[in-house]
Amino acid sequence: SGLVGSEMCIRDRVNIENKKIASEKLPFDEFKELALCINDMLDTKLKQEQNILLKNQEVLISSSLLGEYKKAVDAGTIVSKTDLDGNIIYVNDEFCKISGYSRNELIGKNHRIVRHPDVNIAIFKIMWKKILSKNIWKGVIKNKAKDNSAYYVKTTIVPILDINSNIKEFIAIRYDVTDLVKQAKKIRFQTTDPLTKLPNRQKLLGDLDNKNKLKLAIFNIVRFKEINEYFGFDLGDKVLKSVARKFMEYIKGEGIKLYKLQGDEFAFLSDEKVDDEDFKECCRNILFEFKKTQINIEGNNLDIELIGGSSFQKNYYINAEMSKNYAKESNQEFVFFEENLDIKENLVKNINCTKQLKEALKEDRVVIFAQPIILNNSNTISKYECLVRIITPEGEIIPPINFLNIAKKSKMYPQVTQVVVEKAFAYFSKKNDEFSINLTIEDILNKDTVNLIKQKLIEYPSTINRVIFEIVEDEGIENYDQVSNFIEKMKSLGCKIAIDDFGTGYSNFDYLMKLNVDFIKIDGSMIRYLDHDENAKVVTQLIVSFAKKLKIKTIAEFVHCEEIHNIVTEMGIDYSQGFYLGEPKLISEL
């Protein structure tokens, strides 16, 4: 109606002008030119009116859509808006529900109203610095409700800019992850070895943290692998229990604490209350006692020998491990780090192994084996894990435990990884199977390795949706930003991500919640005890439950028998991997 009214107004004006022109007897050519000019003006005015109408309609549609978007966000998340000083100007119902405050109690208050006193103030300083720089901040925050109870929210804070690119306000979108954090804490507090019930490696590392004047010794059982292979894992487990009991007898009253580490490793720890010489004497006595003692297990009399190393200096764990390894290499029973100051140098300069690796790389004798990963609900092969090996000129297969540490120390590790990447992509580009490649933090931080991966994804586009990068979880992800960026880049291309060896060592659940991963592989040191250790079952079930809530698939490692496979399937673990289901084979023999 607005358009019609405008058009009539213009046309009335034209009629008046025509009458006036006629009365003045204007020449016909000039009259014609004037009429055309007026018609052009009329068309222009009509087009302007039509454009305004269309824009008004677009604004109405956009406004309606924004309302729907807001409704969707409010329904599924915890939302608040604050001004530039952190004062709350909007909260949704979910925010009120989780905090326990009413909307009237929150509006106008500073966001400190829900700040938990446990949270380090430095976190908020970093957050404000980032958002005031017009960047988005993400993190998990512990908050305090009105009733003083704690809750955890995965938070994204976005600065809202006006048309002049100035910050107008901040909007925070949160997800309640309280249950996940509580589960993570339960699992993190599992610091007991499930077999011997002794404090484990995680507990030892905590006890070593920032302490001085300590004494640490680490022992291995000599040829324990042979006991497992000849008598079986069940008898091997009984040997470990028996050795643990004897250790406790030998150190009783000595002021020394005993730990059970991974595999067949045990550790002793004491503080300044035990004299250096007394600690050394204790270590020597234990070696002597085990030499003259046999352990009877199921009618088998077993001679148990020990080998070990010790350190009284900072970096206790690393130094004691190096001393123990040096004792193995030099055919000694026990080595004290302080008495062998050339240990590090001798380990790094292991000429024979370094030479062997160099020649293997040069002669293309670094090869790929692949082990099947089974989908539990169908017992079919779902994917393969690529594993590196060396083949000697004589045809002997050298496992990675014998050369990867040397590769890292001799700066050849990136070359080994790059060979795996090259050969894995080349082989599986001709197949339809999913395949995984192990990457350490060192690999992710190595530009040449990452560039090679990107190059292979371009060269073999059919592998993009089938490749899985397994990030080896070692002592924690120190370079979180770089790892997160690598994961997001690979995920954006269509690749999948797994966290390897989860359940031992650092096992940082906070990182797991932040990192966008598809799989976690539950470490074999947990899986192998599921058939007879209730504690291992509880911890494993917690990990499975935690992963399901994050919509992460789980893979059980070290599935060595039918009973374990049945248990992990019943627990809801998605995939299994182990010698019972398939041994690693050279990829050309698959």
Side-chain angles (χ1 to χ4, degrees):
S1 62
L3 280 174
V4 173
S6 299
E7 183 180 353
M8 290 177 65
C9 181
I10 294 171
R11 294 197 184 280
D12 288 343
R13 182 70 183 268
V14 170
N15 289 334
I16 293 169
E17 292 297 326
N18 285 345
K19 290 177 183 177
K20 188 186 295 183
I21 291 166
S23 64
E24 294 175 0
K25 298 183 179 180
L26 191 70
F28 179 76
D29 289 343
E30 292 183 25
F31 173 76
K32 182 179 177 182
E33 184 179 346
L34 181 60
L36 290 171
C37 180
I38 292 171
N39 280 332
D40 289 342
M41 290 171 59
L42 178 61
D43 289 342
T44 301
K45 180 66 175 177
L46 287 172
K47 288 177 181 177
Q48 290 174 344
E49 292 283 354
Q50 288 172 342
N51 287 337
I52 291 170
L53 180 60
L54 288 173
K55 286 179 180 177
N56 286 339
Q57 289 175 337
E58 289 174 2
V59 170
L60 286 172
I61 292 169
S62 297
S63 178
S64 175
L65 287 174
L66 284 172
E68 291 300 309
Y69 293 150
K70 179 181 178 299
K71 190 192 302 181
V73 171
D74 277 344
T77 57
I78 302 160
V79 182
S80 69
K81 292 198 294 184
T82 62
D83 61 19
L84 300 187
D85 297 318
N87 299 315
I88 300 171
I89 56 178
Y90 170 81
V91 292
N92 69 347
D93 291 340
E94 292 298 315
F95 192 105
C96 296
K97 182 179 175 181
I98 195 169
S99 70
Y101 290 99
S102 68
R103 190 171 275 100
N104 289 336
E105 290 175 308
L106 291 167
I107 300 298
K109 298 291 192 304
N110 193 277
H111 232 290
R112 286 190 293 270
I113 192 173
V114 294
R115 180 185 295 177
H116 199 285
D118 289 352
V119 182
N120 192 325
I121 194 70
I123 292 174
F124 295 105
K125 289 181 179 179
I126 294 169
M127 179 193 77
W128 274 105
K129 183 178 179 181
K130 191 156 190 176
I131 61 178
L132 287 173
S133 301
K134 304 177 185 177
N135 294 308
I136 296 172
W137 182 87
K138 294 182 180 181
V140 176
I141 298 179
K142 182 180 182 181
N143 282 342
K144 182 182 72 172
K146 186 177 180 179
D147 63 1
N148 288 324
S149 62
Y151 63 93
Y152 295 82
V153 283
K154 187 176 181 180
T155 305
T156 301
I157 302 177
V158 182
I160 305 300
L161 309 181
D162 61 21
I163 58 174
N164 297 316
S165 292
N166 294 319
I167 300 174
K168 182 181 178 183
E169 59 190 15
F170 302 102
I171 184 167
I173 299 173
R174 306 170 182 83
Y175 297 90
D176 182 9
V177 293
T178 305
D179 288 344
L180 296 179
V181 171
K182 286 180 179 178
Q183 282 193 0
K185 285 184 176 180
K186 281 183 185 178
I187 298 169
R188 197 181 299 124
F189 290 149
Q190 297 293 331
T191 56
T192 302
D193 174 64
L195 180 66
T196 62
K197 312 306 179 189
L198 290 171
N200 63 11
R201 178 174 176 269
Q202 187 171 334
K203 182 68 170 69
L204 173 62
L205 293 176
D207 291 346
L208 289 172
D209 192 31
N210 296 321
K211 302 290 194 317
N212 295 311
K213 298 182 179 178
L214 300 178
K215 302 159 196 69
L216 175 67
I218 297 176
F219 292 89
N220 271 151
I221 301 173
V222 177
R223 294 185 298 278
F224 180 72
K225 185 172 179 241
E226 294 175 14
I227 295 175
N228 267 337
E229 290 176 348
Y230 186 78
F231 294 102
F233 290 114
D234 287 343
L235 188 138
D237 288 346
K238 290 175 182 177
V239 169
L240 292 174
K241 287 182 179 180
S242 183
V243 168
R245 285 193 295 270
K246 290 195 174 295
F247 273 136
M248 291 298 294
E249 292 172 12
Y250 296 150
I251 65 172
K252 193 173 182 180
E254 295 285 351
I256 296 171
K257 191 171 181 180
L258 175 63
Y259 301 80
K260 167 64 174 64
L261 310 184
Q262 63 269 28
D264 61 344
E265 273 193 351
F266 292 82
F268 293 169
L269 180 67
S270 71
D271 55 23
E272 69 273 6
K273 294 176 184 176
V274 177
D275 182 78
D276 289 5
E277 289 304 317
D278 289 341
F279 188 85
K280 289 181 180 181
E281 188 63 25
C282 177
C283 291
R284 295 187 187 103
N285 287 341
I286 284 170
L287 291 168
F288 177 74
E289 291 293 338
F290 268 95
K291 274 184 182 178
K292 67 179 186 178
T293 304
Q294 279 191 327
I295 294 178
N296 186 282
I297 306 289
E298 297 178 356
N300 299 291
N301 290 318
L302 302 175
D303 293 312
I304 301 298
E305 293 182 50
L306 300 177
I307 194 168
S310 178
S311 175
F312 301 169
Q313 295 182 3
K314 269 287 191 182
N315 298 321
Y316 301 101
Y317 189 86
I318 294 172
N319 292 341
E321 272 285 322
M322 285 196 295
S323 300
K324 180 201 69 179
N325 293 335
Y326 184 72
K328 287 181 182 178
E329 292 179 8
S330 57
N331 201 28
Q332 299 181 58
E333 280 187 333
F334 200 89
V335 169
F336 292 97
F337 184 82
E338 289 68 25
E339 296 173 4
N340 295 269
L341 298 178
D342 60 342
I343 289 175
K344 272 186 188 177
E345 184 179 348
N346 288 333
L347 287 174
V348 174
K349 292 180 179 179
N350 193 326
I351 298 171
N352 291 333
C353 189
T354 303
K355 181 181 178 183
Q356 183 185 52
L357 180 57
K358 276 185 179 179
E359 290 175 350
L361 285 165
K362 184 178 179 181
E363 297 170 10
D364 195 26
R365 288 188 284 103
V366 175
V367 297
I368 305 298
F369 277 54
Q371 185 174 29
I373 297 173
I374 306 299
L375 182 62
N376 285 333
N377 62 16
S378 65
N379 274 333
T380 56
I381 295 175
S382 171
K383 48 184 73 67
Y384 290 90
E385 179 181 1
C386 296
L387 303 166
V388 66
R389 304 282 190 269
I390 286 176
I391 297 181
T392 67
E394 296 76 29
E396 181 187 358
I397 306 298
I398 308 296
I401 193 172
N402 289 3
F403 63 84
L404 281 188
N405 281 337
I406 293 295
K408 290 178 181 180
K409 292 172 183 176
S410 59
K411 310 302 180 186
M412 288 187 283
Y413 186 76
Q415 291 174 258
V416 174
T417 300
Q418 288 159 24
V419 169
V420 174
V421 170
E422 289 268 9
K423 294 189 174 183
F425 272 97
Y427 176 80
F428 282 99
S429 66
K430 301 169 187 173
K431 304 290 180 179
N432 296 319
D433 305 292
E434 287 190 343
F435 63 103
S436 64
I437 298 173
N438 288 292
L439 298 177
T440 64
I441 307 304
E442 295 171 60
D443 294 320
I444 291 171
L445 298 179
N446 186 284
K447 291 181 180 179
D448 291 337
T449 300
V450 173
N451 286 336
L452 178 64
I453 290 170
K454 292 177 182 176
Q455 177 189 326
K456 293 301 163 185
L457 291 171
I458 294 170
E459 185 177 348
Y460 302 114
S462 67
T463 64
I464 289 175
N465 296 317
R466 294 188 288 115
V467 65
I468 303 164
F469 295 108
E470 289 190 23
I471 299 176
V472 179
E473 200 216 18
D474 195 5
E475 286 302 311
I477 302 173
E478 300 296 334
N479 304 87
Y480 169 74
D481 288 340
Q482 291 94 324
V483 174
S484 180
N485 289 339
F486 173 81
I487 290 174
E488 291 304 324
K489 177 62 178 175
M490 293 300 108
K491 293 279 289 182
S492 70
L493 295 173
C495 308
K496 299 182 183 72
I497 301 292
I499 297 294
D500 197 13
D501 297 332
F502 195 84
T504 60
Y506 195 73
S507 292
N508 194 315
F509 284 81
D510 295 331
Y511 283 147
L512 187 59
M513 284 191 289
K514 295 175 186 177
L515 297 174
N516 184 15
V517 304
D518 303 281
F519 306 93
I520 57 172
K521 302 187 77 174
I522 304 173
D523 191 73
S525 63
M526 303 291 300
I527 299 299
R528 61 176 293 190
Y529 298 120
L530 291 178
D531 57 342
H532 60 270
D533 190 280
E534 192 60 33
N535 196 36
K537 269 190 178 180
V538 170
V539 176
T540 303
Q541 192 65 68
L542 281 170
I543 294 173
V544 173
S545 176
F546 188 89
K548 284 186 183 299
K549 288 193 176 184
L550 288 176
K551 293 182 172 54
I552 298 173
K553 298 291 185 182
T554 46
I555 302 171
E557 298 184 296
F558 208 83
V559 176
H560 62 278
C561 65
E562 182 180 4
E563 188 176 0
I564 293 292
H565 188 219
N566 291 337
I567 291 171
V568 301
T569 302
E570 290 169 6
M571 293 179 78
I573 296 175
D574 301 292
Y575 304 90
S576 291
Q577 179 179 0
F579 273 44
Y580 168 70
L581 300 165
E583 297 184 16
K585 292 182 179 179
L586 194 64
I587 54 175
S588 60
E589 299 174 0
L590 289 179

